[in-house]
Amino acid sequence: DPAHLPAPQPHSPMKNRAFTLIEVAFALTLFITVAALLLVYQQTGPLRTDLNTQTALLAEELRLAQNAAQSGKSSAYGIQFESGAYVRFEGGSYDPADPSNNVHELPANLEIANISLAGGGTGVIFTAPNGNTVQSGSIEIRSTNLNESLTLSITPTGHVSY
C-alpha cells in the first residue's frame, strides 16, 4: 500500500558528494609546492645562519679590537683579513708569526671578499686613545653556496655596522 510508505526525501548535497579530479590535482599541487619550499629552506637555512653568525662575530671582533685600543693597553689593535679567516692582533702592524694573534677561521662555505678599505690594505688598525682608524671602508662576507653576501662597514671613528 503506497499510503504507508515514507515520502521520498530530497538528496542532501553532501550525501553523494565526491572529490573531482581537478580538486585532487589542486590539492596534490599545493602539497608538492609546500614540500618543495620546505626542502629548499631546510637546505639553505643553515647556510644563511652561518653567514649571519659569522658576520656578527666579525663585527664583534672589530669592536673588541677598537675597545682594546681605547683601553690604552697598547697603542693599537687591529684585524687582518684573509680569504678564509681574520686575525685580531696587537700593535700598529700585523705580524703573522706573533703567537698572541687571535685567528678566526671561517666555515668552508664562507669567504671574505671585496675588501675596500682606505689606503687599499687588507687590515684595519684602531689607535689609542679614541679607537679611530684610517682604514675605514667595507668588507664583504660571502656564502659560496648561496651566492649571497653581507657587507660590514667601518667608519673613521671605528663604528661598525652591517
Side-chain angles (χ1 to χ4, degrees):
D1 181 12
H4 291 63
L5 293 175
Q9 296 291 323
H11 286 30
S12 166
M14 295 302 286
K15 189 172 187 181
N16 292 329
R17 176 138 168 101
F19 291 110
T20 65
L21 184 59
I22 291 175
E23 290 171 326
V24 171
F26 178 76
L28 282 173
T29 302
L30 186 63
F31 176 76
I32 289 169
T33 302
V34 169
L37 290 173
L38 287 174
L39 181 63
V40 167
Y41 178 76
Q42 183 180 11
Q43 292 174 348
T44 61
L47 298 174
R48 279 195 182 87
T49 299
D50 274 352
L51 179 60
N52 291 331
T53 300
Q54 292 301 322
T55 302
L57 289 173
L58 175 53
E60 185 61 28
E61 282 298 317
L62 285 159
R63 291 180 187 116
L64 285 172
Q66 182 192 33
N67 288 339
Q70 290 172 330
S71 74
K73 295 178 190 173
S74 178
S75 62
Y77 284 85
I79 302 286
Q80 179 68 29
F81 304 105
E82 300 169 1
S83 109
Y86 54 93
V87 182
R88 184 164 36 99
F89 62 91
E90 181 179 346
S93 64
Y94 173 62
D95 176 5
D98 188 338
S100 68
N101 288 344
N102 193 346
V103 179
H104 298 272
E105 298 284 335
L106 293 175
N109 65 312
L110 298 177
E111 64 184 3
I112 294 176
N114 298 330
I115 300 169
S116 178
L117 300 173
T122 56
V124 175
I125 298 172
F126 299 98
T127 56
N130 52 15
N132 290 347
T133 182
V134 294
Q135 294 90 11
S136 61
S138 63
I139 301 102
E140 192 175 278
I141 296 186
R142 181 174 38 215
S143 170
T144 56
N145 295 359
L146 291 175
N147 199 26
E148 293 181 13
S149 62
L150 291 174
T151 301
L152 284 125
S153 298
I154 306 162
T155 67
T157 59
H159 177 74
V160 177
S161 62
Y162 63 96

